[in-house]
Amino acid sequence: MKKLTKNRNPNYTTSISVSNNNRNKLIALANIYETTQKDLLSRLIDKEIEQLSFSDKNLFEYIFKAIKIKDNFKQAKKKGNYND
């Protein structure tokens, strides 16, 4: 049985689909703020999270932790560090 190793870099690039209208808005905002689309999207997400109510923030954290656990298992399985 292979040992489950801790993933030291849990962030990896993934893709999302957005309408061309939203993509164009993201490009325009990124140009105004002189940043990348990726960095702008991160800032917008962080700003939205900050505005959540206390209960919604707790719910967000609960869901976010569950998704991170799922991602860690998926990445470990891809790397062969997890046996079914």
Side-chain angles (χ1 to χ4, degrees), residues 5 12 14 22 37 45 49 57 59 67:
T5 58
Y12 55 91
T14 188
N22 283 336
Q37 295 171 50
I45 291 168
I49 293 167
K57 212 174 260 189
L59 179 59
I67 293 168

Side-chain angles (χ1 to χ4, degrees), residues 5-11 72 79:
T5 58
K6 184 170 180 149
N7 190 352
R8 295 182 189 270
N9 188 8
N11 293 325
N72 286 337
K79 292 179 182 180

Side-chain angles (χ1 to χ4, degrees), residues 18-54:
V18 295
S19 69
N20 65 321
N21 192 41
N22 283 336
R23 181 193 56 136
N24 293 341
K25 289 177 184 178
L26 189 61
I27 292 168
L29 283 171
N31 283 317
I32 289 171
Y33 289 115
E34 297 178 350
T35 189
T36 65
Q37 295 171 50
K38 184 177 177 180
D39 288 340
L40 176 60
L41 188 55
S42 291
R43 287 174 40 196
L44 291 171
I45 291 168
D46 290 343
K47 185 177 179 180
E48 191 68 26
I49 293 167
E50 287 175 14
Q51 295 176 7
L52 292 173
S53 68
F54 180 77

Side-chain angles (χ1 to χ4, degrees), residues 59-74:
L59 179 59
F60 169 82
E61 287 296 329
Y62 177 79
I63 294 168
F64 185 59
K65 285 178 185 178
I67 293 168
K68 284 173 36 177
I69 290 168
K70 181 180 174 186
D71 280 350
N72 286 337
F73 276 114
K74 189 184 295 183

